[in-house]
Amino acid sequence: MKSRTRTAPTAAFDLEALTLSELKNMQKDVAEAISTFEDHQNAEARAKVEASARELIYLLAELVGTET
C-alpha cells in the first residue's frame, strides 16, 4: 500500500465569517477526514506487520529446516 502525500490547502478560511451551521458541518467533515486518515494508516501498518511476519515465518522455516 502506498502512503498518500498531500500538500496543505493554500486557501485560508475566515472562520468568523461562517455560520454556526457551516462551522458544525466543517467540524463533522474534519472528524470524518481524520477517522478515514487513521483507518488508512492502520491498514497500512497492519499490512506491513503481516508482510514482515510472513517473511519471518519463512526465514524461521529455513533455519530449522521445516516447510510452512
Side-chain angles (χ1 to χ4, degrees):
M1 215 175 203
K2 292 183 180 180
S3 67
R4 300 179 323 172
T5 56
R6 296 180 126 177
T7 57
T10 56
F13 290 98
D14 181 6
L15 297 177
E16 292 181 7
L18 298 176
T19 65
L20 179 59
S21 177
E22 290 170 328
L23 289 168
K24 286 184 177 187
N25 284 334
M26 185 180 288
Q27 181 180 34
K28 181 181 72 86
D29 292 344
V30 168
E32 288 174 4
I34 290 170
S35 178
T36 299
F37 184 85
E38 290 173 339
D39 290 345
H40 286 271
Q41 280 188 319
N42 289 341
E44 186 175 327
R46 187 178 307 112
K48 287 179 181 179
V49 168
E50 289 171 353
S52 293
R54 282 191 298 275
E55 181 66 20
L56 289 173
I57 290 169
Y58 174 75
L59 291 174
L60 178 62
E62 280 187 340
L63 287 172
V64 296
T66 61
E67 298 282 328
T68 57

